[in-house]
Amino acid sequence: MDEKRNIKKPSKLLLYTDGIRAFWEFIYYCFFAIFYKIKKTGDGHPVLVIPGFLGSGFSTKILRKFIDKHGYTSYDWGLDRNLANFADLEFLKIKIEDLHRRHQQKVTLIGWSLGGVYARQLAKSQSAIVRQVITMGSPFNGVTEPNNAKRMYNWVKKREGTPEISDEVLADLPNPAPVPSTAIYSKLDGIVSWKVCMERQEDATHQNVRINSSHFGFGWNPATLKIVVDRLQYDANNWKHFKR
């Protein structure tokens, strides 16, 4: 992806309005939830939802509830706030194995922002028991590129003593997971560049889907919710393409 060489962090306008836009997206979601007709067609398979940097299970509650209403079984990641410690992946590997054993079904992984970076890495190491990966505003194609979260990340890393990400892991992050994957991104993202939230190359099972959303509003933006439900219907014999 040649564009990656010219990555710039989102403008100050997008940054300073991101929270405001997320609020209005929440209001829009409230009206959407009233009139949206739920079709409980899910097969009950487990869906693990991983929050973004500094997010907790509370931030993904709306998304998980929406997933449950459609007939799937969602799970919080099981930790407190996401402090960008890649050591958390070891805990999540065990959790995925437990969910697979309990349900006797493969697990769908959904990650918001940094949570999506985690989800893709987990899918690479546990592809045999992961059904698919869905990311939302996740900068897996350039976590070290300029962004509007770096200052906060550096402060948290210093405060918490978070270990550095190894060069080996950094080099592997852009590589696609060997499972069906959907990268949801927005050109209105005020935290990370949309260019680093996309698969470098699309193919039959690795796709990018653009929506209009703030970074903080991905978890309840109705466009995100509809894409997630569409993709959860995926099965090994029928990869359904979302109409963009």
Side-chain angles (χ1 to χ4, degrees):
M1 179 179 277
D2 292 334
E3 292 174 311
K4 187 173 181 293
R5 299 173 184 173
N6 281 325
I7 301 302
K8 296 180 180 179
K9 59 184 179 182
S11 68
K12 290 184 178 180
L13 177 62
L14 288 177
L15 170 62
Y16 295 150
T17 62
D18 202 276
I20 298 172
R21 288 182 285 119
F23 170 76
W24 285 110
E25 286 162 9
F26 175 73
I27 298 299
Y28 176 38
Y29 159 76
C30 291
F31 284 99
F32 167 79
I34 293 173
F35 298 103
Y36 180 77
K37 294 183 179 180
I38 298 289
K39 294 182 180 180
K40 194 171 182 178
T41 57
D43 59 3
H45 83 261
V47 181
L48 180 61
V49 185
I50 308 173
F53 177 52
L54 295 182
S56 66
F58 181 78
S59 68
T60 64
K61 193 171 183 179
I62 290 175
L63 175 57
R64 288 186 282 114
K65 186 175 181 180
F66 193 77
I67 289 169
D68 291 339
K69 285 183 176 181
H70 281 82
Y72 303 95
T73 310
S74 72
Y75 290 89
D76 172 35
W77 77 318
L79 294 170
D80 195 7
R81 292 190 179 277
N82 187 340
L83 299 178
N85 189 342
F86 271 65
D88 291 339
L89 268 64
E90 295 304 315
F91 169 84
L92 293 172
K93 287 178 182 178
I94 296 173
K95 188 174 183 72
I96 293 170
E97 291 169 357
D98 178 64
L99 293 177
H100 176 253
R101 183 167 50 251
R102 192 187 314 173
H103 287 265
Q104 292 298 300
Q105 292 174 291
K106 290 186 177 183
V107 184
T108 287
L109 305 180
I110 300 178
W112 186 349
S113 193
L114 180 62
V117 177
Y118 285 9
R120 290 173 90 257
Q121 292 306 104
L122 291 164
K124 293 173 188 178
S125 64
Q126 295 184 292
S127 59
I129 58 176
V130 171
R131 183 183 182 113
Q132 66 173 311
V133 172
I134 303 172
T135 61
M136 308 182 302
S138 300
F140 54 81
N141 201 11
V143 295
T144 60
E145 297 289 353
N147 62 70
N148 286 320
K150 189 172 184 178
R151 182 176 296 180
M152 180 60 72
Y153 168 75
N154 288 336
W155 181 81
V156 170
K157 183 176 69 171
K158 183 177 180 180
R159 180 176 182 272
E160 299 293 328
T162 306
E164 295 285 350
I165 305 173
S166 70
D167 291 339
E168 181 180 4
V169 171
L170 283 175
D172 183 58
L173 292 182
N175 297 327
V179 300
S181 305
T182 302
I184 304 172
Y185 70 96
S186 170
K187 290 188 176 182
L188 300 179
D189 194 315
I191 305 300
V192 295
S193 170
W194 59 273
K195 295 179 181 179
V196 299
C197 299
M198 304 167 62
E199 296 284 359
R200 288 181 174 178
Q201 291 187 337
E202 292 186 277
D203 55 37
T205 56
H206 296 86
Q207 300 177 12
N208 301 313
V209 181
R210 174 186 169 186
I211 66 171
N212 292 322
S213 177
S214 64
H215 188 81
F216 295 130
F218 271 114
W220 50 77
N221 188 300
T224 302
L225 301 179
K226 288 188 283 188
I227 292 169
V228 167
V229 169
D230 175 87
R231 295 303 165 119
L232 288 177
Q233 297 176 57
Y234 159 81
D235 64 64
N237 299 312
N238 179 29
W239 171 237
K240 184 177 180 180
H241 293 257
F242 187 83
K243 295 180 180 179
R244 285 166 286 180

